Amino acid sequence: MSNSEPPKQSPTPRDYKEPTVSELVPFRSKKINLLKSPLLWVIGGTGIIIVLMYSSFSSFLKSPTINEFMFFGLILIGWIILSILITIYLYSRTDRPVWHFLIPAAFVYACLTTPLGQPYFIVFRGFLDPNWMGNPSFALHFVYMFFAAGLMEELMKVTTVIVGAILAVNYTQIRNSNPKLFEILVIRGPLDGLLMGTVGGAMFIFVETGFQYFPQQFAKQATAETLLSGLMLLLPRTISGMVGHMGWAGITGYFIGLWVIRPGSWKFVVYAWIVVSALHAAWNSQSHMALLAPLSVAATAVLYVSCLLKARQIESRFGTTREDYGSIVVQPGDRPSPAQPAAAPPGPAHSPVGETPVQPRKAPGEGVFLVVGNTRLPVVAGQDVDFSPLAAMGTEGLAATVSVHPTRADVIGLKNTGTRHWKATLRDGKHTELEPGRNVRLAKGVTIEFGPDLVASVEEPAQ
């Protein structure tokens, strides 16, 4: 008689006809994170706005005052702008915290409401004849708008983007002395630049429309006609921001961010600034030539959406966006195709019975990444590693080429081809110095310190 214990029985499965507690009370589920859902903040914000608007409406009915009407208008402007910004933010799939975008918004607000903005007005409007604005001559009016509205306002909206780009390119010592502040201000690439510029443009619309053009309609006399005209002006001026102030500043911001990862593209920042200033001036000159308005809108829409899609594509390969859902971005990065190994000799059309079909071999390094924080750098055998997304962390003198082992084609390494000395921690925990010219094997468990606060781990594809 055997002394072995009886086999353990499997736990009785639950009755799948009955719902679980988390299905009945979804917010208690541990498999979802309600607070991290952007949709919660969108719907919650909408609820707050609705309450404020109804409160303002009730107060206006009891005591019709200009202040109550102004308050209602400002809430409406704010919600339209926030709706546009939230849509763009969610679509961009950026990993940048929302509160970082308060920096460009606060700066533009300060420029328009305090003496901080006076230098812009002095430089770009001081030499212009005010009579050119509204002049019957299209040329004089356009020139005035190009400098006074175009160049001045477009520079003001992206000033913080320029500062963040300069920090990324030149001032690594600030990163070391105050990394938190550096992280808030720095522009990491085109997507950061585009989004920061868009927010700057949004604040410009809020201040200019809410505190200038909207109240101008009923400043002299508050009648039903003037109040209605104020609302009729408020809506198109705010909604048009997507193909106006927000769009123009976003386009310039894209090229500023591109300069961070492609230092040779600095001149295109100037070109973009001039182009969007011309589009701005064209929009402001539609009273002289009606065709300019639709042309400006169409050009801005195409340029902005193109920049947004390209920015998202560029940064998707470095882990700062996620392309894991249906997207217009058809290819998530500019990663070159790995060199394919030589084709195997042709085999039989059908595998013999009982044999496992031969699986196609992967190219050396396919699916391997260097991971630095949230950034994933693709590794391609025989090619240089593109460190440009890490420019904000200081990459001077950093260069590397992916090499293949001379006798083992499935083993790849990283050769130091720059001027820096690296430190590597191998899989067995040993440490080694890697001066220029030396190699280190790329395998899971290996970490490489390229410089202060610039440590990469190796990510391999799941087997």
Side-chain angles (χ1 to χ4, degrees), residues 403-420:
S403 56
V404 181
H405 194 280
T407 60
R408 297 180 57 187
D410 61 330
V411 176
I412 60 171
L414 196 66
K415 183 177 181 179
N416 185 351
T417 56
T419 57
R420 291 190 178 191

Side-chain angles (χ1 to χ4, degrees), residues 38 42 50 74 119 139 146 151 162-163 196 237 239 261 331 349 383 463:
V42 173
I50 292 300
L74 290 175
F146 179 75
L151 292 179
I162 295 172
V163 171
M196 289 287 190
R237 277 196 61 85
I239 297 171
I261 66 172
Q331 183 180 353
Q383 297 190 17
Q463 299 297 324

Side-chain angles (χ1 to χ4, degrees), residues 261-398:
I261 66 172
R262 301 284 186 259
S265 66
W266 64 268
K267 55 184 176 294
F268 293 99
V269 176
V270 179
Y271 297 159
W273 179 39
I274 292 173
V275 168
V276 298
S277 297
L279 291 173
H280 193 157
W283 172 263
N284 286 1
S285 301
Q286 58 181 293
S287 59
H288 289 71
M289 193 180 299
L291 185 62
L292 289 176
L295 289 177
S296 176
V297 167
T300 302
V302 171
L303 286 173
Y304 183 85
V305 174
S306 300
C307 289
L308 176 56
L309 289 175
K310 189 61 183 177
R312 203 174 73 172
Q313 181 203 24
I314 291 171
E315 305 209 11
S316 65
R317 59 178 174 153
F318 303 124
T320 54
T321 62
R322 298 190 304 276
E323 299 299 340
D324 54 0
Y325 69 111
S327 170
I328 303 299
V329 177
V330 294
Q331 183 180 353
D334 296 330
R335 178 182 177 181
S337 300
Q340 298 297 323
H350 300 282
S351 299
V353 177
E355 289 190 14
T356 303
V358 177
Q359 299 295 326
R361 290 181 297 170
K362 289 185 176 181
E366 186 176 352
V368 178
F369 290 85
L370 292 173
V371 181
V372 182
N374 294 326
T375 303
R376 299 165 73 241
L377 305 177
V379 170
V380 182
Q383 297 190 17
D384 295 335
V385 177
D386 182 6
F387 288 105
S388 60
L390 305 177
M393 304 178 72
T395 57
E396 299 85 356
L398 179 58

Side-chain angles (χ1 to χ4, degrees), residues 55-72 218 222-224 227:
S55 174
S56 177
F57 174 68
S58 299
S59 299
F60 186 77
L61 290 179
K62 294 176 182 177
S63 176
T65 63
I66 293 299
N67 287 338
E68 284 296 341
F69 189 73
M70 272 286 297
F71 182 62
F72 185 89
F218 47 83
T223 63
L227 294 178

